[in-house]
Amino acid sequence: MDAWEIVDIQVIDSLNEKSNIDTINYGLDTTAEQMHFQFLSDIQHLEEVSINHQIISKSASRVINDSKTEIRNLEESMNLIEEIDELLIGNGITIEIEDLGIKSLSVSKMVRENGSLVRIIQPERFGGMIRTYKLPAGFDLDSAVLQEGFLKLSFN
């Protein structure tokens, strides 16, 4: 069975010092309810305001859940893996990374016979970004370097 393997990200800051990012999972697998509870627990609320907020949230969540179900059904039918051709492989790929998610950024790879996969995850407090790239057969991720807000992926 194929499995994702975490790739070390080399960080070069503006002083040209090198370090590695800790791959911390900030919870892309968390639910909206858990994030909402965390948000409410992080700030002080009056009890009456909190109760009214919960009532409004519950009534609005029914409509939102129906919309999310429709969107997820649409996304499942789309191809969410971007293929990289051999021309891009030679020069590597550079991706701009928002400063807010640099500490939680992770890169992983899955080596397969018909073309390896590279996955980039940048979780944020209320969501995040996941990108998956399929490499041509015979190519693999060589390195991941983060410098001044840009992630550079090199391949071999």
Side-chain angles (χ1 to χ4, degrees):
M1 181 175 177
D2 295 326
W4 289 103
E5 175 186 334
I6 300 292
V7 175
D8 288 332
I9 302 172
Q10 184 181 32
V11 179
I12 302 174
D13 63 16
S14 59
L15 299 175
N16 292 326
E17 295 178 8
K18 297 181 180 181
S19 64
N20 283 330
I21 289 182
D22 295 330
T23 53
I24 302 170
N25 182 1
Y26 280 97
L28 281 179
D29 294 329
T30 191
T31 65
E33 290 80 13
Q34 291 168 333
M35 288 189 298
H36 190 71
F37 177 77
Q38 180 182 356
F39 171 75
L40 291 176
S41 65
D42 286 347
I43 56 177
Q44 298 293 326
H45 276 70
L46 298 174
E47 186 175 346
E48 182 180 341
V49 172
S50 180
I51 291 170
N52 288 337
H53 178 75
Q54 289 175 4
I55 292 169
I56 293 169
S57 295
K58 285 181 182 179
S59 64
S61 68
R62 290 184 202 109
V63 174
I64 293 170
N65 283 334
D66 291 342
S67 296
K68 287 191 321 188
T69 302
E70 289 178 24
I71 291 170
R72 286 180 181 148
N73 290 337
L74 176 65
E75 286 179 350
E76 288 173 3
S77 64
M78 298 172 61
N79 183 7
L80 300 176
I81 298 176
E82 184 177 338
E83 293 194 29
I84 300 174
D85 62 19
E86 291 188 30
L87 294 175
L88 288 176
I89 289 283
N91 296 328
I93 299 174
T94 302
I95 301 168
E96 187 171 3
I97 301 294
E98 294 183 26
D99 289 339
L100 297 174
I102 286 178
K103 291 182 181 177
S104 58
L105 179 70
S106 74
V107 176
S108 53
K109 66 180 181 177
M110 180 186 300
V111 179
R112 303 183 321 172
E113 288 181 21
N114 62 343
S116 298
L117 298 175
V118 175
R119 181 174 64 188
I120 303 166
I121 301 175
Q122 184 182 9
E124 296 173 357
R125 183 172 181 173
F126 297 112
M129 176 270 303
I130 299 177
R131 293 184 188 160
T132 305
Y133 299 97
K134 181 178 180 189
L135 307 179
F139 287 92
D140 190 16
L141 179 65
D142 185 42
S143 66
V145 177
L146 183 64
Q147 184 174 13
E148 297 177 5
F150 291 92
L151 178 66
K152 170 79 173 175
L153 302 178
S154 300
F155 306 96
N156 58 19

